[in-house]
Amino acid sequence: MSELPDNYDPDQVEPKWRDEWQDMDVYEYQDDGDTDYVVDTPPPYPTGNLHIGNALGWCYMDFAARYHRLVGDDVLFPQGWDCHGLPTEVKVEENNDIHRTDVPRDEFRQMCIEHTEDQIDAMKETMGTLGFSQDWNHEFRTMDPEYWGTTQRSFVEMADDDLVYRDEHPVNWCPRCETAIADAEVETEEGVDGTLYYVTFEGADEDSEERSSSDSAAEPRNTEDIEIATTRPELLAACVSMAVHPDDERYADRIGDRFEVPLFGHEVELIADEESDPEFGTGAVMICTFGDKQDVEWWAEHDLDLRMVFTEDGHLNDDAGEYAGLTIDEAKEEIADDLDDEGYLEDTEPTEQAVGQCWRCDTPIEILSKEQWFVEVDQDAILERAQQVEWIPEHMYDRLEDWTTGMEWDWVISRQRVFATPIPAWFCQTEDCDHIHIAGPGELPVEPTDEGPGIEACPECGGDEWTGETDVMDTWMDSSITPLYVRGWPDEEFEPTTLREQGHDIIRTWAFYTLLRTGEIADDIPWEEALINGMVFGEDGNKMSKSRGNFVQPEEAVEEYSADAFRQAMALGGQPGSDIQFQWKEVKSASKFGTKIWNITKFASGHLDTAHLDRPDPAYRDADKWILSRTSQVADSVADHMDDYRFDAALRELREFVWHDLADDYLELIKGRLYEGRPGEANAARQALATALSASLRMLSPFAPFLTEEAYDGLPHTEGSVHAADWPDIDMHDEDAEIAGELIAEVAATVRGWKSDAGIALNAELDKIEVYPEETPERAVDTYDLSEAVNAPVHVREGVPAVELVPVEIDPDHSVIGPEFGEQTGRIVGALEAADPEDVKQQKQLDGEIELDLGEEVAVVPGDAVEIHEEHRAESGEEVEVVESDLSTILIYND
């Protein structure tokens, strides 16, 4: 127990506990046979910035991990870092003003490693600031040989099962990054301004070689020109055919005709295909290799030629003739100008396009035909495994299903980069030998560009010269085995992890690839539950942006209030799966709640000591039984919410209980006993208070780890860390006590509120109070604490109070009487004030007017000219205040 200061100072407390927790094993995974709760923690890219969206996901994971430690699970909460990939390479190139090819491969990789280490350090500092409870003994970096050796092992096993293969195939290609990328790495930007070009293709006359022998005597047939519409004139050199819809009557007799590609001169044939849209442009489109995936489908289905005119770095090659060397954008402009100059360009019009872009650099992607490594995608198997996972919320499964069923190509996993897991393969250099050696498990980890294969002679040709694969793996090949790695595969038999927490924006990548890989390698699901978080929007409801002025870093909220306040705001933002709106008022409210918790703890610590606690059979009063029953009930309910990952509902219910039931009601009820009660009664209150407060701190600890640790440490009856304690198991639910307690608490609050409104001191004595409950409790209500709280004897009665409302005073309204009665106003007012209030009340109610005997005449006064003041009188005739509450009618006697 430590002495508690009057005020809680998070600037002092939070750094203190961060340091102390580093020396404690409270978050350490024991692996001792207890029920495991294993978090498949997302390894973030080490950007150096743990932004607020990251923080939301880690808050969810930390809430769950801390809760499951409290309920007795052996929790493994590791932390990984997804080090490899384009973002790091691009940043290193920018920082050093180089291209990766300007320095040796191993030197560039080392530059990436050093940069990544710095970024990791910055993000770990933020994680510590926010109080996350990872077990740092289980930290991993995908750039470490131990990890990428495991990635290589997974590659080898899938290759052995013929699930990894190498082939030439059209792939998405980023000209900026100069690498293949998977479908999931292509972001589509809608509504991009573009231009639709209407271009004439001249008909190609049939020559004698193209006509059949039976037509040899016929005259050459002239083919009429055709007009096509395209948004990409820069692909004219790659045009290999044209397509129209078979039902488009405009081209019914033209299928099979040949045309000359303008500017480039080669001939192409018009084909019919149902995928062609007759409503687009002229209904005729060119097929190029490749403008989009539709081109790829047509190219494969109709066995068309391959004419590749784009280079890997986004220029036109020699097959583009005089346009060779131009960038794609430059070629678009020059070719369009030349089409216009040569008379081929009939018209242009603005249009909007959907453009696929590289998700890392926003460069429009191209489709190139390249030798690449692929992983086979079995959509049915992925969905079958995904259906065995509990998705939270459930509809997030639909996103995975939509993506999976829409997959058109296998997963291209090779990248033409440096900083990534090497593909463990070598190519035999003997002429005409196509053998590829893939490393065996004993050769791993291996860097094929630095080391030779584990065999000397090629098994197919006997050659002994090898070239290592320079391509590396997609970074998702690393992060898609996190559950396998965390569970000790391949040394240990794989068991699914418990929880995968991630954002909905990477369901199509991380969730999809992990289901694919774990299923194929371990024939199992990767995790039992998938908890999905949404995005965090700014206070104005818009996506956070520095230009909008709504951008918030977690550290800002910590500096302004505290880490605990920020964490609670994240919990209360909304239920998992929904996008949440960051609101400063929520952080401020959480900070105020922290002050409330501290004040309760400070008050309690002054009354609690071990000598008076844990005595057998305490003499609990109704108020004690009520708070203990409520604590028991809240602990069960909050646990249910936590089990369902409804952190918002759990924290909201807990805060309501602590703020109102414990602080506002119970503490006020027991102050009399704590200060002046007999020893047995005071000790019972102390024990109930200690139980309820300790339980509250434990329940709150997943959300506010710093505050609860400091408060728990300051109580005399607690030992060790609150985070190593047990979840409350009170088992004192008492329905009768709750009915009585709710009545007592409400009456106390109502009477104290009435005193405040009436300007009466809260400690002022009252003659007595009678309470008439709406529903009479089955047993007598113990009013000892209630009497002390309101400073009056309290009697709980059955039935309806015998009270009548008696008129006692008449208040004439001069603004109504004056204008109507003029000089008689004085006499009228005097007569009203002298009249019997009961008689005036009756006349007003029955007739709507009052007759006044003025002696020589009778005056009739309108009912709205008087106000009748009434008082409640008890059956004894005593004046009484009647106050209605939700649960009872309260009679307050105060002469």
Side-chain angles (χ1 to χ4, degrees):
M1 174 182 174
S2 60
E3 183 70 23
L4 296 181
D6 290 339
N7 299 308
Y8 177 74
D9 181 8
D11 293 337
Q12 182 273 326
V13 171
E14 293 184 352
K16 179 189 77 172
W17 284 112
R18 279 198 294 271
D19 292 341
E20 292 197 24
W21 286 335
Q22 289 181 1
D23 299 327
M24 301 165 66
D25 61 0
V26 67
Y27 305 138
E28 184 176 333
Y29 175 57
Q30 301 299 321
D31 197 15
D32 56 7
D34 287 343
T35 302
D36 281 351
Y37 183 86
V38 181
V39 181
D40 180 21
T41 317
Y45 279 118
T47 61
N49 171 32
L50 191 84
H51 59 70
I52 199 167
N54 298 139
L56 174 65
W58 262 265
C59 279
Y60 284 176
M61 283 180 279
D62 198 57
F63 299 156
R66 289 182 180 277
Y67 164 70
H68 279 275
R69 291 191 192 100
L70 293 171
V71 298
D73 292 340
D74 190 9
V75 174
L76 173 56
F77 183 10
Q79 182 58 59
W81 303 97
D82 194 9
C83 309
H84 290 143
L86 295 177
T88 299
E89 289 197 19
V90 170
K91 183 58 68 174
V92 168
E93 288 175 330
E94 291 176 355
N95 291 346
N96 295 276
D97 194 24
I98 60 170
H99 189 272
R100 69 179 188 279
T101 57
D102 295 341
V103 296
R105 188 182 182 95
D106 58 346
E107 183 179 335
F108 184 74
R109 182 178 178 85
Q110 186 59 39
M111 294 168 70
C112 291
I113 291 173
E114 292 173 1
H115 170 79
T116 301
E117 292 286 2
D118 292 340
Q119 303 300 89
I120 288 174
D121 289 343
M123 295 179 76
K124 285 178 71 172
E125 183 174 350
T126 302
M127 288 177 172
T129 296
L130 295 177
F132 299 146
S133 62
Q134 298 97 323
D135 181 354
W136 291 103
N137 294 321
H138 289 267
E139 182 181 12
F140 61 86
R141 293 167 164 82
T142 61
M143 66 184 180
D144 292 342
E146 178 187 0
Y147 190 96
W148 59 258
T150 306
T151 302
Q152 289 183 329
R153 175 68 177 268
S154 69
F155 174 96
V156 168
E157 294 211 3
M158 293 187 74
D160 289 344
D161 292 336
D162 296 326
L163 297 171
V164 171
Y165 63 92
R166 193 170 190 271
D167 193 13
E168 180 174 350
H169 189 278
V171 294
N172 301 306
W173 190 272
C174 175
R176 160 62 183 83
C177 301
E178 295 184 47
T179 184
I181 59 175
D183 283 351
E185 296 170 293
V186 177
E187 300 281 0
T188 300
E189 183 175 356
E190 304 286 347
V192 177
D193 291 336
T195 302
L196 189 60
Y197 301 85
Y198 291 87
V199 180
T200 295
F201 280 52
E202 293 181 344
D205 293 336
E206 293 183 357
D207 59 26
S208 57
E209 295 181 3
E210 293 176 324
R211 285 176 284 155
S212 66
S213 57
S214 61
D215 292 335
S216 58
E219 292 295 325
R221 181 168 65 87
N222 292 324
T223 302
E224 294 182 5
D225 299 346
I226 193 171
E227 185 178 314
I228 64 98
T230 180
T231 59
R232 303 204 64 185
E234 67 273 21
L235 278 167
L236 278 169
C239 182
V240 293
S241 186
M242 293 185 295
V244 293
H245 195 278
D247 296 334
D248 193 335
E249 295 181 356
R250 292 172 293 179
Y251 306 103
D253 299 327
R254 311 204 62 186
I255 307 305
D257 285 357
R258 298 183 65 79
F259 301 88
E260 186 176 291
V261 178
L263 302 182
F264 296 95
H266 60 281
E267 294 184 9
V268 294
E269 181 180 334
L270 181 67
I271 63 173
D273 193 285
E274 291 185 350
E275 293 300 318
S276 182
D277 181 6
E279 302 299 322
F280 177 78
T282 63
V285 294
M286 62 179 184
I287 303 173
C288 304
T289 52
F290 297 97
D292 54 25
K293 282 191 173 182
Q294 183 61 67
D295 282 347
V296 176
E297 291 182 14
W298 281 332
W299 169 75
E301 182 178 346
H302 296 283
D303 194 23
L304 301 174
D305 293 337
L306 181 65
R307 294 176 65 93
M308 300 297 300
V309 298
F310 289 168
T311 64
E312 295 179 358
D313 63 352
H315 292 75
L316 271 64
N317 64 21
D318 292 341
D319 289 336
E322 63 181 281
Y323 304 101
L326 296 177
T327 67
I328 293 172
D329 288 341
E330 291 170 345
K332 179 193 288 283
E333 185 175 348
E334 288 203 20
I335 289 173
D337 288 344
D338 289 349
L339 288 171
D340 192 23
D341 292 342
E342 297 293 329
Y344 294 111
L345 185 61
E346 301 298 331
D347 196 9
T348 63
E349 64 181 41
T351 188
E352 288 189 350
Q353 302 171 259
V355 178
Q357 298 178 341
C358 173
W359 74 327
R360 285 305 175 192
C361 67
D362 296 331
T363 301
I365 60 106
E366 300 296 342
I367 297 179
L368 305 184
S369 183
K370 291 289 183 181
E371 285 269 359
Q372 300 289 329
W373 293 87
F374 297 86
V375 165
E376 185 176 297
V377 175
D378 185 339
Q379 294 158 302
D380 292 338
I382 292 169
L383 292 178
E384 182 180 347
R385 287 188 286 272
Q387 289 164 3
Q388 300 173 43
V389 174
E390 181 182 356
W391 293 82
I392 307 164
E394 187 176 352
H395 69 266
M396 287 298 171
Y397 166 80
D398 297 337
R399 294 198 180 195
L400 178 90
E401 183 178 60
D402 290 345
W403 172 257
T404 304
T405 55
M407 288 286 291
E408 298 174 319
W409 295 350
D410 283 341
W411 175 18
V412 54
I413 62 168
S414 46
R415 299 291 182 269
Q416 291 63 51
R417 305 295 295 186
V418 175
F419 189 49
T421 296
I423 294 176
W426 295 262
F427 303 96
C428 178
Q429 292 303 289
T430 302
E431 189 174 356
D432 298 328
C433 182
D434 297 327
H435 181 70
I436 302 174
H437 172 71
I438 294 179
E443 300 175 63
L444 308 175
V446 63
E447 171 52 88
T449 60
D450 294 337
E451 307 169 54
I455 59 174
E456 294 186 1
C458 173
E460 292 191 10
C461 71
D464 59 2
E465 292 188 12
W466 301 89
T467 297
E469 173 64 277
T470 57
D471 283 359
V472 294
M473 295 188 208
D474 178 3
T475 188
W476 292 111
M477 286 289 284
D478 289 332
S479 53
S480 60
I481 65 162
T482 51
L484 293 165
Y485 185 83
V486 165
R487 276 303 207 178
W489 183 89
D491 298 330
E492 303 289 338
E493 184 176 352
F494 177 72
E495 294 182 32
T497 59
T498 312
L499 177 69
R500 155 68 64 86
E501 199 291 331
Q502 65 164 75
H504 60 60
D505 56 321
I506 53 173
I507 288 176
R508 69 180 193 176
T509 49
W510 195 33
F512 174 84
Y513 292 140
T514 308
L515 284 160
L516 185 162
R517 299 257 279 143
T518 308
E520 298 296 357
I521 294 169
D523 192 25
D524 210 335
I525 58 174
W527 1 262
E528 297 167 1
E529 301 167 327
L531 174 64
I532 309 300
N533 66 268
M535 298 179 65
V536 183
F537 289 92
E539 196 165 25
D540 58 1
N542 293 309
K543 186 175 180 179
M544 280 196 179
S545 165
K546 290 183 179 178
S547 63
R548 282 198 179 103
N550 65 354
F551 187 80
V552 177
Q553 278 290 99
E555 293 89 344
E556 295 178 53
V558 174
E559 183 176 353
E560 183 71 19
Y561 292 101
S562 69
D564 289 333
F566 173 80
R567 291 166 62 100
Q568 291 179 67
M570 290 294 97
L572 293 172
Q575 65 187 62
S578 62
D579 294 332
I580 74 169
Q581 183 178 350
F582 177 81
Q583 298 187 66
W584 280 107
K585 67 179 182 181
E586 286 286 8
V587 187
K588 184 177 181 180
S589 173
S591 179
K592 289 182 177 179
F593 178 62
T595 300
K596 191 77 168 180
I597 286 284
W598 188 254
N599 291 339
I600 297 170
T601 307
K602 174 68 176 175
F603 173 83
S605 67
H607 293 275
L608 304 179
D609 60 78
T610 54
H612 296 97
L613 298 175
D614 297 326
R615 294 190 176 185
D617 301 321
Y620 289 138
R621 306 203 75 103
D622 275 359
D624 304 324
K625 295 175 183 177
W626 166 68
I627 199 63
L628 291 171
S629 181
R630 285 287 296 131
T631 305
S632 175
Q633 185 183 50
V634 169
D636 291 343
S637 181
V638 170
D640 288 342
H641 290 316
M642 296 296 283
D643 287 335
D644 293 337
Y645 299 100
R646 284 300 307 272
F647 306 121
D648 56 327
L651 181 55
R652 193 167 285 111
E653 181 166 350
L654 178 57
R655 281 174 60 165
E656 183 76 14
F657 166 74
V658 171
W659 198 297
H660 297 294
D661 292 352
L662 180 57
D664 291 349
D665 294 333
Y666 182 68
L667 286 185
E668 294 301 325
L669 286 170
I670 65 170
K671 282 180 179 178
R673 272 192 286 157
L674 290 178
Y675 288 116
E676 299 175 353
R678 294 188 296 271
E681 294 173 337
N683 288 339
R686 291 189 186 102
Q687 194 151 322
L689 173 59
T691 301
L693 178 55
S694 170
S696 298
L697 293 175
R698 282 175 279 158
M699 286 188 279
L700 183 61
S701 64
F703 304 104
F706 297 104
L707 169 66
T708 53
E709 187 78 291
E710 183 74 0
Y712 195 80
D713 186 61
L715 294 176
H717 65 294
T718 59
E719 294 182 0
S721 170
V722 68
H723 305 298
D726 295 329
W727 188 260
D729 184 17
I730 300 170
D731 194 23
M732 292 189 67
H733 182 62
D734 184 334
E735 187 172 349
D736 289 337
E738 289 211 23
I739 292 173
E742 286 178 10
L743 178 64
I744 292 169
E746 189 193 49
V747 171
T750 302
V751 173
R752 289 169 65 84
W754 172 83
K755 281 185 173 181
S756 178
D757 292 341
I760 300 172
L762 296 181
N763 62 352
E765 290 187 15
L766 301 174
D767 292 340
K768 66 177 179 179
I769 291 175
E770 293 179 351
V771 178
Y772 292 82
E774 293 288 332
E775 296 183 13
T776 304
E778 292 186 3
R779 61 176 175 80
V781 177
D782 172 10
T783 61
Y784 177 88
D785 290 319
L786 176 56
S787 295
E788 292 293 314
V790 299
N791 207 2
V794 179
H795 308 281
V796 178
R797 311 291 192 191
E798 292 186 15
V800 178
V803 175
E804 60 178 341
L805 199 56
V806 178
V808 295
E809 184 181 356
I810 300 170
D811 184 11
D813 187 343
H814 292 263
S815 66
V816 175
I817 298 173
E820 182 164 344
F821 292 96
E823 294 180 355
Q824 288 187 300
T825 298
R827 295 176 66 199
I828 296 292
V829 170
L832 283 171
E833 292 175 344
D836 180 2
E838 180 63 36
D839 179 56
V840 173
K841 175 183 176 182
Q842 291 293 328
Q843 289 192 63
K844 181 175 180 178
Q845 289 180 339
L846 296 176
D847 304 326
E849 58 186 19
I850 300 101
E851 290 186 357
L852 295 174
D853 185 357
L854 301 181
E856 69 282 2
E857 61 179 311
V858 174
V860 178
V861 178
D864 60 358
V866 298
E867 181 179 355
I868 301 172
H869 295 284
E870 298 176 305
E871 292 179 353
H872 284 102
R873 296 290 171 89
E875 194 173 25
S876 62
E878 297 173 274
E879 181 182 346
V880 63
E881 288 287 342
V882 179
V883 182
E884 298 288 347
S885 70
D886 291 337
L887 300 178
S888 65
T889 299
I890 305 167
L891 305 188
I892 303 174
Y893 294 80
N894 185 37
D895 284 344

